[in-house]
């Protein structure tokens, strides 16, 4: 019996090659979920863009970006947690608030994902990118 990847936590330094590796993880999860190749490429590009932007918020105290990839039965989630009151990666606070009617390059970057969320709790924030799969797929 083959083991199926359900969750992966990746800690990376600010290096574009490592952002590409994070894109490779979402590519693997999306391919295993049966998502079409064009959609997979958009998801991969979005994760790379989010990582690249998040690199600018790393500090000497927190020199690594943590990315959590989770495959649920109905969706794939990519979470980028961060400490402090810094804004989320790639202006996601604005994207999340304007997801239903926003326009511009930020929305295009995340067009492959069905949901973009930004949450804060006790001095920490998390940017969560969600792609629904199967019958649950659709914009939310």
């Amino acid at each position: 019996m083959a083991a199926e990847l359900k969750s992966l936590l990746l800690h990376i330094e600010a290096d574009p090659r490592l952002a590409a590796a994070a894109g490779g993880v979402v590519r693997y999860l999306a391919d295993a979920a049966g998502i079409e190749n064009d959609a997979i490429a958009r998801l991969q590009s979005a994760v790379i863009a989010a990582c690249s932007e998040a690199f600018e918020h790393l500090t000497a105290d927190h020199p690594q970006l943590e990315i959590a990839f989770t495959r649920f039965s109905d969706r794939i989630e990519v979470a980028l947690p961060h400490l402090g009151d810094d804004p989320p990666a790639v202006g996601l606070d604005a994207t999340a608030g304007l997801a239903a009617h926003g326009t511009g390059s930020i929305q295009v970057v995340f067009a492959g994902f069905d949901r973009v969320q930004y949450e804060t709790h006790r001095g920490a924030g998390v940017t969560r990118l969600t792609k629904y799969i199967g019958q649950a797929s659709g914009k939310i």
Side-chain angles (χ1 to χ4, degrees), residues 8-20:
L8 179 74
L9 184 61
L10 188 63
H11 292 260
I12 62 175
E13 295 177 1
D15 184 325
R17 296 171 295 183
L18 298 175

Side-chain angles (χ1 to χ4, degrees), residues 23-55:
V25 173
V26 80
R27 172 173 273 289
Y28 170 81
L29 291 173
D31 186 53
I35 296 174
E36 293 181 12
N37 209 22
D38 289 343
I40 291 173
R42 288 190 301 273
L43 296 174
Q44 188 174 11
S45 294
V47 168
I48 293 169
C51 290
S52 296
E53 179 65 26
F55 288 159

Side-chain angles (χ1 to χ4, degrees), residues 47-72:
V47 168
I48 293 169
C51 290
S52 296
E53 179 65 26
F55 288 159
E56 295 179 20
H57 299 283
L58 297 179
T59 65
D61 291 338
H62 301 305
Q64 293 185 331
L65 177 62
E66 178 181 294
I67 312 156
F69 301 87
T70 308
R71 166 69 157 88
F72 296 94

Side-chain angles (χ1 to χ4, degrees), residues 3-140:
E4 184 179 329
L5 176 66
K6 298 287 186 186
S7 181
L8 179 74
L9 184 61
L10 188 63
H11 292 260
I12 62 175
E13 295 177 1
D15 184 325
R17 296 171 295 183
L18 298 175
V25 173
V26 80
R27 172 173 273 289
Y28 170 81
L29 291 173
D31 186 53
I35 296 174
E36 293 181 12
N37 209 22
D38 289 343
I40 291 173
R42 288 190 301 273
L43 296 174
Q44 188 174 11
S45 294
V47 168
I48 293 169
C51 290
S52 296
E53 179 65 26
F55 288 159
E56 295 179 20
H57 299 283
L58 297 179
T59 65
D61 291 338
H62 301 305
Q64 293 185 331
L65 177 62
E66 178 181 294
I67 312 156
F69 301 87
T70 308
R71 166 69 157 88
F72 296 94
S73 62
D74 65 338
R75 67 191 182 279
I76 297 170
E77 287 186 356
V78 179
L80 294 97
H82 58 88
L83 298 175
D85 296 325
D86 287 340
V90 196
L92 289 177
D93 53 344
T95 304
L98 300 174
H101 58 286
T103 60
S105 61
I106 292 172
Q107 187 177 15
V108 171
V109 168
F110 294 102
F113 283 95
D114 297 315
R115 176 179 252 176
V116 178
Q117 297 171 285
Y118 175 69
E119 305 165 358
T120 58
H121 183 69
R122 295 183 184 182
V126 65
T127 299
R128 189 175 325 279
L129 308 173
T130 304
K131 174 65 178 169
Y132 291 97
I133 55 178
Q135 294 180 0
S137 185
K139 296 285 182 187
I140 303 227

